[in-house]
Amino acid sequence: MEIIFSIIQSMGISLGVGCSTLAILNFFHAIADGKIEETERNFMGVTYRVLRVSMGIIFISTIVLAITGYLNTGYAYFTTYFFAQTILIAIVFINAFLMTLHLIPSTFGPAIQASTWYALGFMMALSVHFDLHVNLFIFISAYITLILFTISLVNAVMAYLKQKNQSRV
């Protein structure tokens, strides 16, 4: 059962990473002309719905894995890798909630979401090949660095698109 839910969790994370990529690319495309049209909004809505499905898959599979892991190995299941993964999953959920309610500006929300999905995907990919022993300080430092880089990149692209759009007018 653990293998099945591990595969399901991996599929949910993969789906989330892919949809997150599409979400940010759709966002850039939609704001490129200075306004988000109805068709663009609809495409982004489909992507966000699939992201929510992905999040549901991850949530359920993570809970099942935590319960079965605890029943099989006790507290030894709750490694630093588990906590790092749980932190990322929590951030995906919290940030998505804040973005849905428009409580986080677009200068931060999409970048945090993208960097968190990519960190989650990267960790999942590494865990398949290595027995990860995560140092939480290094993990958090690397994650914050990734967020800052992604915020810079997303805002640079948004500024470029805005400047490009203004030069057309």
Side-chain angles (χ1 to χ4, degrees):
M1 182 158 130
E2 190 172 349
I3 291 173
I4 292 170
F5 278 94
S6 243
I7 292 168
I8 291 170
Q9 183 189 50
S10 295
M11 290 173 64
I13 292 171
S14 296
L15 182 62
V17 170
C19 280
S20 178
T21 303
L22 286 176
I24 202 149
L25 292 174
N26 284 337
F27 175 71
F28 289 151
H29 179 76
I31 65 167
D33 62 0
K35 60 185 181 304
I36 300 176
E37 297 170 5
E38 192 60 32
T39 304
E40 294 167 331
R41 190 177 310 281
N42 290 338
F43 277 120
M44 290 185 343
V46 170
T47 304
Y48 296 144
R49 282 191 289 280
V50 176
L51 270 170
R52 288 185 191 107
V53 168
S54 168
M55 291 166 62
I57 290 169
I58 294 167
F59 182 76
I60 291 168
S61 61
T62 301
I63 288 175
V64 170
L65 287 170
I67 291 169
T68 58
Y70 175 75
L71 293 174
N72 291 334
T73 61
Y75 287 110
Y77 180 79
F78 301 107
T79 62
T80 53
Y81 173 83
F82 173 83
F83 287 116
Q85 185 182 52
T86 303
I87 289 167
L88 293 175
I89 292 168
I91 292 170
V92 163
F93 276 84
I94 292 166
N95 192 55
F97 178 74
L98 293 175
M99 287 187 347
T100 300
L101 297 178
H102 303 285
L103 296 175
I104 190 165
S106 62
T107 53
F108 298 114
I112 292 170
Q113 205 67 351
S115 57
T116 305
W117 276 112
Y118 278 101
L120 198 54
F122 184 73
M123 282 185 59
M124 179 199 64
L126 284 179
S127 72
V128 171
H129 301 288
F130 303 103
D131 183 21
L132 292 183
H133 299 284
V134 177
N135 177 308
L136 284 179
F137 176 75
I138 293 172
F139 162 75
I140 290 171
S141 298
Y143 175 62
I144 289 171
T145 301
L146 178 61
I147 287 175
L148 294 174
F149 172 78
T150 309
I151 287 171
S152 299
L153 180 64
V154 167
N155 285 299
V157 170
M158 288 185 350
Y160 170 77
L161 292 172
K162 184 177 182 179
Q163 184 268 335
K164 185 178 171 183
N165 187 40
Q166 288 175 345
S167 67
R168 281 189 213 158
V169 175

